[in-house]
Amino acid sequence: MSDLDYNISYASHRVPMMGRNAVATSQPLAAQAGIRMLQLGGNAVDAAIASAMALTVLEPTGNGLGSDAFAIIWDGKELHGLNASGRAPAAWNPERFAGQQTMPEIGWEAVTVPGAVSAWVALAERFGTLPLTTLAQPAIEYARDGFPVSPLIGQLWQRGYNKLKDQPGFSACFAPEGRPPRAGELFRNPAQAATLQKIAETNGEAFYRGELAQQMAAFAAEHGAALTLEDLNQHRADWVQLLSHPFAGGSVQELPPNGQGIATLIALGILEHWDIGRYTPDSVPWLHLSIEAMKLALADLDRYITDEDHLEFPADLLLSDSYLKQRAALIDPDKAGDFTFGSPQQSGTVYLSTADASGMMVSFIQSNFMGFGSGVVVPDTGISLQNRGAGFSLDPAHPNVVAGGKRPFHTIIPAFALDGDGQPLMSFGVMGGPMQAQGHLQMALRIMLHKQNPQAAIDAPRWRVVQGREVMVEAGMDRNVLAALRAMGHKIAVEDPLQGYNFGGAQVIVRDPQGFYIAATESRKDGQALVY
């Protein structure tokens, strides 16, 4: 029925899903794409790639073919980290942006080399079992034949259109009828279907060195942008060593900078010095200490984290026990504080998770950054380009200052946790820009320390440090607790999670020692966890 009112919503309750194979994504049709690969005999990596490719079609408000991506993979024996974020065009330097206070957020001057396609290829080559042409098929079908736009995506699409409708190529691709699609309408993107087919048939070569790369470079030149064919040719995804920190009898695993995952590890280390486990979840001291630890971690993140090749010192110095103890000592248990960065001594979006019966698990994230990203869409390709250039600094003294060939500071981060025996405990992630490291902290506390089931941990009201003493919390948090936090000096703002998008979506897959998985996904958004 085309006249249904999709704005009516009520609070709902979900239960965690259980099975020997699992896929959890931010969009139901994308989850089905992953399950389809598992039923064809593929593994968790195949499922992750198929879901990720489908999400570029189904959720263009958060990611696209011009996204970046990161992944953590448990191959059945050990963990592997993948950084597939792109670098700045070689011609970028501070002088190019002279006179500006911050980096541009929209248009060509925000576009860095897209890396998500290289993530799919790298994962498929190393761990996949099905050909890329098979993995791409669900995404191609959704783009060619159309899919119904869900209510939340419809809202975000309208918001993105209002902001980006005049950017090169945007309206022709995402508003072909002169307006964005409404909730419940079928949307087709035949150009993206053709592009996905070329990517799959050439194993990504068309995107970085062939026909699609030439189209991107030509469109950039037409608009005086810096991105060149050589920039695309030079791109590579990197296998990296993970950062980890012991917690709650196990460990939390994050990718190293240029991402913000280290902030989660810093905050967890600080909280262990406060023996956070002695407090009840959602109590005043539990929330106060968690917020303060996160503020300290974010201060270090803002000061030090950039491309790993440009760090002032090794990132793991921020995780040394002596440094974390110093930072923990700055917290007043009775009062909200204002913190600056520390000085360690020498001696830094769509998310999905998959798991299969063989024991393989994948934590994967990709994003165009701010909604549709830069707003630039390459004509006749469906390639919407990210705006990750906005992650650079223009402060010449900052390690994250813009430079050609450099990766910008990144918000998107997948996460993983191991148990005390070094075996996989869970694959998890929380979407939403600066919310991600904070969401990881809250998931680790609830699931690893307090043994909450993953759906309960996701459904629990979340908080987010904004800046200084400003903290945003979801409606549903106890009013007496909020009053007590305000009395301690926290500046609390309350937002309805169904109306705002400041707390991100979340997906979690927990491995049960008996050999099956417990999967959960965001009940506030469109997410879907499927098992079999």
Side-chain angles (χ1 to χ4, degrees):
M1 296 174 64
S2 60
D3 57 349
L4 291 176
D5 187 349
Y6 291 101
N7 294 312
I8 299 173
S9 60
Y10 302 96
S12 61
H13 176 71
R14 286 184 179 176
V15 295
M17 305 294 290
M18 301 180 188
R20 294 191 180 277
N21 299 271
V23 176
T25 79
S26 58
Q27 215 277 355
L29 295 177
Q32 291 178 30
I35 288 290
R36 183 168 151 189
M37 296 305 117
L38 290 168
Q39 292 174 331
L40 287 173
N43 61 22
V45 165
D46 295 318
I49 296 168
S51 292
M53 297 177 87
L55 281 166
T56 67
V57 178
L58 300 165
E59 201 170 329
T61 54
N63 74 133
L65 294 173
S67 289
D68 274 352
F70 298 83
I72 300 174
I73 303 93
W74 174 265
D75 67 4
K77 295 181 180 180
E78 60 182 337
L79 285 171
H80 306 267
L82 180 66
N83 182 339
S85 61
R87 295 164 176 80
W92 275 15
N93 54 46
E95 290 70 33
R96 185 180 182 90
F97 304 96
Q100 302 184 50
Q101 297 300 309
T102 59
M103 288 288 293
E105 292 186 354
I106 61 175
W108 269 112
E109 291 300 275
V111 175
T112 52
V113 175
V117 170
S118 70
W120 308 338
V121 172
L123 288 168
E125 288 181 342
R126 186 165 182 178
F127 297 110
T129 62
L130 298 176
L132 205 57
T133 48
T134 300
L135 303 181
Q137 205 54 42
I140 291 170
E141 291 170 4
Y142 293 138
R144 182 191 63 217
D145 303 331
F147 66 95
V149 175
S150 61
L152 176 61
I153 298 303
Q155 293 177 38
L156 296 175
W157 208 313
Q158 180 68 58
R159 183 183 296 186
Y161 173 78
N162 293 342
K163 177 182 178 181
L164 302 169
K165 60 184 177 182
D166 296 326
Q167 292 303 315
F170 182 87
S171 290
C173 180
F174 292 118
E177 296 184 16
R179 60 167 178 81
R182 301 185 178 99
E185 287 186 338
L186 281 175
F187 181 79
R188 296 177 177 85
N189 195 337
Q192 187 171 357
T195 291
L196 284 161
Q197 189 72 47
K198 292 172 186 174
I199 289 170
E201 289 176 350
T202 66
N203 213 32
E205 285 297 299
F207 194 85
Y208 291 107
R209 280 162 282 279
E211 176 186 349
L212 298 171
Q214 292 168 5
Q215 287 176 273
M216 283 186 270
F219 197 50
E222 180 183 333
H223 291 273
L227 186 72
T228 66
L229 188 60
E230 180 65 16
D231 292 323
L232 293 162
N233 291 170
Q234 292 296 315
H235 173 76
R236 69 185 186 278
D238 297 320
W239 295 100
V240 297
Q241 189 72 35
L242 295 167
L243 290 175
S244 68
H245 195 73
F247 182 70
S251 65
V252 176
Q253 310 283 327
E254 298 276 359
L255 290 170
N258 53 322
Q260 64 172 319
I262 193 172
T264 298
L265 303 181
I266 294 171
L268 288 172
I270 290 171
L271 289 174
E272 286 214 308
H273 282 285
W274 276 94
D275 191 15
I276 188 68
R278 62 186 159 146
Y279 299 109
T280 303
D282 305 305
S283 65
V284 173
W286 188 85
L287 286 165
H288 169 69
L289 291 172
S290 299
I291 291 168
E292 295 298 280
M294 197 72 242
K295 285 158 62 175
L296 284 161
L298 292 175
D300 282 343
L301 186 77
D302 184 63
R303 170 60 182 84
Y304 294 118
I305 301 307
T306 183
D307 186 333
E308 191 168 26
D309 293 338
H310 296 264
L311 291 173
E312 296 177 9
F313 49 79
D316 56 9
L317 287 180
L318 292 167
L319 300 176
S320 70
D321 189 66
S322 60
Y323 180 66
L324 294 172
K325 185 176 182 180
Q326 292 173 24
R327 299 296 274 166
L330 297 176
I331 296 177
D332 185 327
D334 302 311
K335 185 172 65 176
D338 292 314
F339 304 115
T340 186
F341 56 88
S343 181
Q345 299 299 310
Q346 297 194 43
S347 350
T349 309
V350 294
Y351 173 80
L352 64 92
S353 181
T354 61
D356 65 36
S358 76
M360 179 177 279
M361 299 178 71
V362 179
S363 182
F364 183 96
I365 197 163
Q366 68 187 19
S367 171
N368 264 2
F369 195 19
M370 299 176 185
F372 282 96
S374 66
V376 175
V377 183
V378 182
D380 303 318
T381 67
I383 299 173
S384 57
L385 294 165
Q386 63 188 6
N387 62 330
R388 280 293 166 187
F392 280 119
S393 170
L394 290 177
D395 178 356
H398 197 285
N400 190 43
V401 65
V402 64
K406 183 177 180 180
R407 282 172 161 150
F409 168 75
H410 243 281
T411 56
I412 63 172
I413 46 173
F416 209 93
L418 301 177
D419 64 18
D421 296 322
Q423 295 301 302
L425 174 64
M426 67 174 174
S427 169
F428 67 107
V430 177
M431 298 168 278
M435 179 65 205
Q436 292 180 51
Q438 304 187 49
H440 286 193
L441 172 71
Q442 293 170 63
M443 292 297 107
L445 287 170
R446 293 185 179 280
I447 298 173
M448 297 180 70
L449 188 61
H450 298 292
K451 309 304 180 185
Q452 292 184 350
N453 79 71
Q455 191 64 58
I458 288 173
D459 290 345
R462 291 201 279 268
W463 51 265
R464 181 171 74 87
V465 172
V466 181
Q467 60 180 2
R469 299 184 185 185
E470 296 177 33
V471 182
M472 186 173 290
V473 303
E474 287 184 304
M477 200 170 282
D478 185 273
R479 288 181 295 175
N480 293 324
V481 169
L482 295 182
L485 290 173
R486 289 186 175 109
M488 299 170 82
H490 295 283
K491 298 178 181 178
I492 304 290
V494 180
E495 182 173 281
D496 182 346
L498 294 176
Q499 300 302 317
Y501 311 99
N502 292 299
F503 302 101
Q507 280 81 42
V508 179
I509 296 178
V510 173
R511 179 183 176 274
D512 188 276
Q514 299 174 80
F516 64 87
Y517 301 102
I518 306 162
T521 189
E522 194 62 57
S523 57
R524 305 161 178 85
K525 314 295 184 190
D526 295 333
Q528 181 75 57
L530 296 176
V531 298
Y532 81 95

